[in-house]
Amino acid sequence: MEILSYITENAYILIPALWIIGRILKGINKIPDKWIPLILLPVGVVGAMALGGWNVESAVQGVLITGTAVYGNQIVKQLRKDE
């Protein structure tokens, strides 16, 4: 099951945008890493609602987009690890 099959095409642009925002937040020393996904969630939801309309479906799209961005970032980090 692919998570991208549940995301509308017009919301795909938010995935790299959230990655960039996450990298910016990571560079801010006062923000602990554990809070970055929680900060990205409302950004993703508001972004998806701005693109798709102010309804529940768009809010769910925002959650899916944020989850995809955070999960994708974790996959990249884990694959780069030396064991």
Side-chain angles (χ1 to χ4, degrees):
M1 179 164 35
E2 287 188 28
I3 190 169
L4 292 178
S5 65
Y6 294 103
I7 298 172
T8 58
E9 287 185 25
N10 64 342
Y12 286 157
I13 189 66
L14 292 173
I15 295 172
L18 288 174
W19 273 35
I20 292 168
I21 294 168
R23 297 293 294 180
I24 291 168
L25 292 173
K26 187 158 181 65
I28 300 172
N29 293 331
K30 292 186 178 188
I31 300 175
D33 290 348
K34 68 179 181 180
W35 296 110
I36 294 174
L38 292 175
I39 294 169
L40 291 177
L41 182 59
V43 174
V45 169
V46 169
M49 291 178 89
L51 289 174
W54 301 95
N55 54 50
V56 175
E57 183 179 339
S58 293
V60 170
Q61 289 295 311
V63 172
L64 292 173
I65 287 292
T66 305
T68 302
V70 172
Y71 180 65
N73 182 45
Q74 286 301 308
I75 289 174
V76 170
K77 284 171 55 175
Q78 294 300 323
L79 290 176
R80 288 184 180 169
K81 270 189 176 179
D82 291 332
E83 293 194 33

